[in-house]
Amino acid sequence: MPMLSSSMNCVADFFTYETTKSVVVKSWTIGVINRAVQLLIISYFIGWVFLHEKAYQMRDTSIESSVVTKVKGFGKYSNHVMDTADYVTPPQGTSVFVIITKLIVTENQVQGICPENEKSYMCESDNECKRPVPTTGGGILTGLCVNYNATIRTCQIQGWCPAEVDTKKVPVMLEAENFTLFIKNSIRFPLFNFEKGNLLPNLTTEDIRNCRFDPETQPFCPILRLGDIVKFAKQDFAKLAATGGIIGIKIGWVCDLDHSWDHCVPKYSFTRLDSVSEKNSVSPGYNFRYAKYYKHEDGTEYRTLMKAFGIRFDVLVYGNAGKFNIIPTLINTVAAFTSVGVGTVLCDIILLNFLKGADQYKAKKFEEVTDTVLHPGSSSNPVYRSSQTLGGRCEEKQSTDS
């Protein structure tokens, strides 16, 4: 029987219904907290959500972009006058390109065997040249220890000979600091079918010929001096040109399409992208190798190997556009009104747990009503009868802070 009674109680507890009960608490403490929380929530939604974040707008973050670049300038390197065809790679004018500022040249390399020139491959006997990894920086080990010069012996390699010596000091083309970069950028936001470019309508041919970008005086000039770009990225040009590095040119398009077309303009910023490798003593900077191939009259192939140090520029385009739309406006408005209810939850916690007279507030707030009370068997009068007096019912609506 106790088990049956317990089961019936569980079933009875399951089939219950809870409804809210309005209790007006006339307390300065709770009233001030309630209004202060509501004011903070409303201020947050108006100031941050709607005005700052523009939550009433539909946003398009899938920006489509194209970038064309052109570098101009002449420099002198090893008694040669260098133009863009010599120091810009790749030459197609893409959004990622390199300005070569230093070259280590190894001429007249041919396929054959020769001694390795790295110190780590110095040897006394052939056994020292038989290693688990049979390759070096210059070729494949043959397993022989041969004379490098009159006093030094090194391991022999098979590959392009003579082997490259990439530790020798060479000059830096510092004239690159005054080279100019022209950037032509076109963007499109497909959601709104909005198109624009960084060559603004008020720019004339004369302006483009004479202007130089400056974030304060010429923020929309598409001609940038390389030395200024490096300076804006807080780097030293001479040091960067000697070791190489990667500079990011960021073009931001953050457009509010509720305003006119003219208000959507690009914003340029600059940073060094490989700042982590700059602090690395193992492989600082940026360099790469390439070769130019030739043939002798007898058909023998030879090449000139070049290890190039330079500044790589990455033009990065980002942005988003927003325009008023009723759907996000309604969603965020409903969220704002719903969030105001947080103040009620906070006040209930304080009222029922921390204020003096919390037990009295709990007694007024929570009341259990059974079928016996709703349908008393001793009376056929359908009018609801409360066990409390009129005065008691008034206390349920009003209570004061004790």
Side-chain angles (χ1 to χ4, degrees), residues 140-181:
I140 300 174
L141 291 172
T142 62
L144 300 177
C145 182
V146 297
N147 293 327
Y148 180 76
N149 55 34
T151 58
I152 299 175
R153 290 167 61 85
T154 61
C155 295
Q156 187 185 69
I157 59 169
Q158 180 180 3
W160 288 97
C161 296
E164 178 191 41
V165 180
D166 62 354
T167 56
K168 58 186 178 182
K169 293 184 178 181
V170 294
V172 179
M173 187 173 64
L174 294 177
E175 291 90 346
E177 187 174 7
N178 294 313
F179 293 169
T180 58
L181 168 65

Side-chain angles (χ1 to χ4, degrees), residues 17-170:
Y17 168 71
E18 293 183 1
T19 184
T20 58
K21 179 180 180 181
S22 178
V23 179
V24 178
V25 180
K26 291 186 176 181
S27 167
W28 277 95
T29 304
I30 292 298
V32 169
I33 293 173
N34 183 42
R35 298 309 179 194
V37 172
Q38 290 177 345
L39 180 62
L40 285 174
I41 293 172
I42 293 172
S43 300
Y44 164 76
F45 273 92
I46 294 176
W48 179 262
V49 176
F50 284 97
L51 296 182
H52 186 271
E53 294 296 314
K54 294 181 173 61
Y56 55 85
Q57 292 182 332
M58 179 176 287
R59 308 206 69 81
D60 186 1
T61 58
S62 57
I63 184 173
E64 298 174 353
S65 171
S66 68
V67 174
V68 176
T69 58
K70 291 182 181 179
V71 180
K72 289 187 177 180
F74 292 91
K76 291 189 69 175
Y77 190 82
S78 297
N79 296 321
H80 289 82
V81 176
M82 308 277 283
D83 62 11
T84 55
D86 298 314
Y87 59 75
V88 177
T89 182
Q92 290 84 5
T94 61
S95 61
V96 178
F97 60 95
V98 179
I99 305 295
I100 298 173
T101 55
K102 187 173 76 172
L103 283 171
I104 298 176
V105 181
T106 306
E107 296 181 315
N108 300 320
Q109 282 189 320
V110 296
Q111 285 284 323
I113 53 175
C114 55
E116 178 61 88
N117 56 35
E118 294 182 16
K119 290 183 179 180
S120 58
Y121 289 94
M122 295 176 62
C123 60
E124 296 293 338
S125 65
D126 292 346
N127 289 332
E128 297 178 49
C129 297
K130 297 174 181 179
R131 304 189 181 185
V133 180
T135 58
T136 71
I140 300 174
L141 291 172
T142 62
L144 300 177
C145 182
V146 297
N147 293 327
Y148 180 76
N149 55 34
T151 58
I152 299 175
R153 290 167 61 85
T154 61
C155 295
Q156 187 185 69
I157 59 169
Q158 180 180 3
W160 288 97
C161 296
E164 178 191 41
V165 180
D166 62 354
T167 56
K168 58 186 178 182
K169 293 184 178 181
V170 294

Side-chain angles (χ1 to χ4, degrees), residues 318-333:
Y318 68 94
N320 62 80
K323 193 173 185 179
F324 174 81
N325 188 279
I326 191 63
I327 294 176
T329 303
L330 289 177
I331 291 174
N332 286 284
T333 301

